[in-house]
């Protein structure tokens, strides 16, 4: 595997570098972020200036790369023996680098108690902490209270489970003619829905999503689809967010599951719909996991100069401390991973005349301890396999194939690809 070959080469280069060089008096610490420039230029430049002024023994430098470039740059930097001190990675990428032995465990360097439980679990692999939590997302459910009333539903009682959401959607469709919501059934998304609902996708390296419980779940989806309760626009696409937003904003859909920051688009693009929109925490799945988590972190390359590691950890703690996370989250509209930042009034107290945006933010913050980044860990050709599973779900939900047959065929495909 290429990343593993790079790991061995990188360690060799690190050893050579250390034997032949004395440390410079002023250490340069580069940290990389992804796709945060130019919007966040003032934020990071201010952060760096403060740190450098308070720590004259180091020179911190911020570098931003586009999201589709940073992995290539990071891997090449490690291979060349000139890695950055810290690099901004999402959880699946951090897991891949951990599996390849290219990043350091950080348990003895970082106080993980300063971060919320869900964020720490996301980056704890094989019992060790492999990344510094930074910022996160978390879903909420926005709903049209007028459509709820027309359907005979109490707007003060939003759905508390996925089953309840399906039931509400069928009632709304039957009594108003409007679709209820659009679940995420497309490639790379369907696994998250199954796992959140307590339905394993894999076990002991084999696909196990064709059990009677899985079949029953898919048949519930098919029943809702047949009733017109699910928005059919792009329902099985990898990303159905844009059409879902458009449907909600035009009154063609009653419930929108999204991150709080996205509700500003309802507020700004559809003010009449926003007036009758309320927001609550997205239903927790049977696993107890809140949906919508996609955490970004900082990882430390394994071949960073060992003498610099304490300074690197200090910088990582600074970038993700409560004060700085709070400022970043307010600016970016994200959720913090710092416990203390999450307890700030910004996330805990509704302002007077709060709208759905503010209600959604507070609701999402309450779920942070159970918000997780769900992904297929350590699976080769994960996107291909996910596409096959999503296609099987589409066949079953639209009635073109029996659910049991469709899931059996997809599981057989997976296990053949997995060598099982």
């Amino acid at each position: 595997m290429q990343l593993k070959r790079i790991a061995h080469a990188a360690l060799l280069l690190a050893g050579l570098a250390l034997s032949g060089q004395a440390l410079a008096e002023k250490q340069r610490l580069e940290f990389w972020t992804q796709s945060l420039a130019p919007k966040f230029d003032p934020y990071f430049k201010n952060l760096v200036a403060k740190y450098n002024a308070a720590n004259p023994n180091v020179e911190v430098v911020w570098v931003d790369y586009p999201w589709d470039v940073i992995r290539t740059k990071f891997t090449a930097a490690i291979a060349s023996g000139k890695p950055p001190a810290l690099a901004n990675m999402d959880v699946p990428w951090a897991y891949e680098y951990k599996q390849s032995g290219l990043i350091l465990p950080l348990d003895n360097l970082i106080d993980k108690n300063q971060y919320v439980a869900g964020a720490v679990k996301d980056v704890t692999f094989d019992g060790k902490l492999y990344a510094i939590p930074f910022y996160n997302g978390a879903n909420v459910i926005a709903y049209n209270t007028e459509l709820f009333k027309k359907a005979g539903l109490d707007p003060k009682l939003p759905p508390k489970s996925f089953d309840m959401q399906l039931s509400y959607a069928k009632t709304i469709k039957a009594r108003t003619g409007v679709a209820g919501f659009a679940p995420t059934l497309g490639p790379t998304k369907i696994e998250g829905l199954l796992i959140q609902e307590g339905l394993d996708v894999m076990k002991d390296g084999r696909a196990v999503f064709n059990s009677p419980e899985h079949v029953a779940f898919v048949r519930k989806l098919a029943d809702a689809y047949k009733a017109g309760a699910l928005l059919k626009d792009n329902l099985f696409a990898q990303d159905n967010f844009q059409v879902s937003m458009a449907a909600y904003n035009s009154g063609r859909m009653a419930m929108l599951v999204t991150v709080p920051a996205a509700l500003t688009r309802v507020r700004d693009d559809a003010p009449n719909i926003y007036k009758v929109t309320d927001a609550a925490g997205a239903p927790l799945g049977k696993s107890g996991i809140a949906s919508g988590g996609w955490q970004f972190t900082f990882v430390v390359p394994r071949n960073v100069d060992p003498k610099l590691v304490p300074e690197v950890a200090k910088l990582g703690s600074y970038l993700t401390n409560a004060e700085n996370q709070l400022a970043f989250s307010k600016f970016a509209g994200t959720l913090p991973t710092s416990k203390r930042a999450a307890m700030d009034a910004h996330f805990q107290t509704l302002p007077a005349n709060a709208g759905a945006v503010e209600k959604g933010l507070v609701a999402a913050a309450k779920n942070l301890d159970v918000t997780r980044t769900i992904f297929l860990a350590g699976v080769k050709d994960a996107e291909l396999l996910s596409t096959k599973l999503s296609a099987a779900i589409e066949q079953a939900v639209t009635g073109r194939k029996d659910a049991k047959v469709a899931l059996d065929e997809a599981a057989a495909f997976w296990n053949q690809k997995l060598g099982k």
Side-chain angles (χ1 to χ4, degrees), residues 141-144 147-148 150-154 157-183 220-232 235 251-257 283:
I141 181 168
Y143 55 99
N144 185 316
L147 287 172
F148 266 47
K150 286 179 183 175
L153 299 172
D154 185 349
L157 297 175
K160 300 291 187 186
S161 68
F162 190 77
D163 283 350
M164 200 171 172
Q165 200 173 0
L166 285 174
S167 174
Y168 274 31
K170 290 165 72 175
T171 299
I172 290 167
K173 178 63 179 179
R175 297 181 180 173
T176 71
V178 172
F181 73 112
K220 281 191 289 191
L221 290 170
D223 184 52
Y225 181 89
K226 187 177 180 181
L230 308 182
L231 183 76
K232 295 182 179 179
L235 183 58
R252 292 193 299 113
M253 189 173 77
M255 295 177 278
L256 176 68
V257 178

Side-chain angles (χ1 to χ4, degrees), residues 18-185:
L18 282 173
S19 64
Q21 292 180 355
L23 287 174
E25 285 187 9
K26 193 164 188 170
Q27 307 295 346
R28 176 185 168 94
L29 299 180
E30 216 173 81
F31 74 94
W32 294 3
T33 59
Q34 54 174 296
S35 297
L36 294 180
K39 180 177 180 181
F40 293 90
D41 284 5
Y43 171 81
F44 281 110
K45 286 178 179 176
N46 180 53
L47 220 58
V48 168
K50 282 184 178 177
Y51 194 86
N52 282 338
N55 298 274
N57 59 315
V58 299
E59 179 190 9
V60 169
V61 176
W62 170 49
V63 177
D64 188 78
Y65 288 110
W67 71 269
D68 57 345
V69 169
I70 192 169
R71 287 187 74 186
T72 304
K73 291 281 188 184
F74 184 61
T75 304
I78 292 174
S80 71
K82 296 178 181 177
L86 295 159
N88 185 201
M89 297 285 159
D90 63 25
V91 173
W93 289 357
Y95 178 78
E96 285 184 28
Y97 281 113
K98 175 266 172 189
Q99 288 296 88
S100 302
L102 290 174
I103 57 175
L104 284 177
L106 303 170
D107 297 85
N108 297 324
L109 300 167
I110 299 293
D111 176 14
K112 60 186 176 185
N113 291 322
Q114 65 185 300
Y115 305 106
V116 298
V120 172
K121 287 179 183 174
D122 267 359
V123 292
T124 300
F125 309 129
D126 297 331
K128 294 182 180 178
L129 185 79
Y130 273 91
I132 307 170
F134 184 15
Y135 65 93
N136 209 346
N139 278 346
V140 295
I141 181 168
Y143 55 99
N144 185 316
T145 57
E146 288 299 311
L147 287 172
F148 266 47
K149 290 174 186 173
K150 286 179 183 175
L153 299 172
D154 185 349
K156 295 188 182 304
L157 297 175
K160 300 291 187 186
S161 68
F162 190 77
D163 283 350
M164 200 171 172
Q165 200 173 0
L166 285 174
S167 174
Y168 274 31
K170 290 165 72 175
T171 299
I172 290 167
K173 178 63 179 179
R175 297 181 180 173
T176 71
V178 172
F181 73 112
T184 50
L185 305 181

Side-chain angles (χ1 to χ4, degrees), residues 236-355:
F236 303 98
Q238 185 169 12
D239 183 1
N240 64 352
F241 171 72
Q242 298 299 336
V243 296
S244 297
M245 174 64 76
Y248 186 82
N249 279 357
S250 62
R252 292 193 299 113
M253 189 173 77
M255 295 177 278
L256 176 68
V257 178
T258 186
V259 295
L263 297 184
T264 57
R265 288 182 55 185
V266 183
R267 182 193 64 195
D268 300 339
D269 298 345
N272 289 334
I273 294 292
Y274 188 73
K275 285 178 186 173
V276 297
T277 293
D278 206 344
L284 298 186
K286 292 177 182 174
S287 61
I289 295 173
S291 65
W294 198 259
Q295 187 192 168
F296 284 83
T297 73
F298 283 109
V299 298
V300 179
R302 180 170 286 279
N303 62 338
V304 74
D305 186 335
K307 293 177 182 173
L308 291 180
V309 168
E311 288 291 346
V312 172
K314 181 180 173 183
L315 174 61
S317 294
Y318 169 76
L319 294 172
T320 61
N321 69 24
E323 178 185 359
N324 291 329
Q325 280 210 33
L326 181 60
F328 182 84
S329 292
K330 285 182 176 179
F331 187 28
T334 56
L335 277 301
T337 59
S338 156
K339 283 181 184 175
R340 197 151 59 81
M343 292 306 295
D344 186 85
H346 180 69
F347 297 105
Q348 296 294 324
T349 306
L350 286 176
N353 302 317

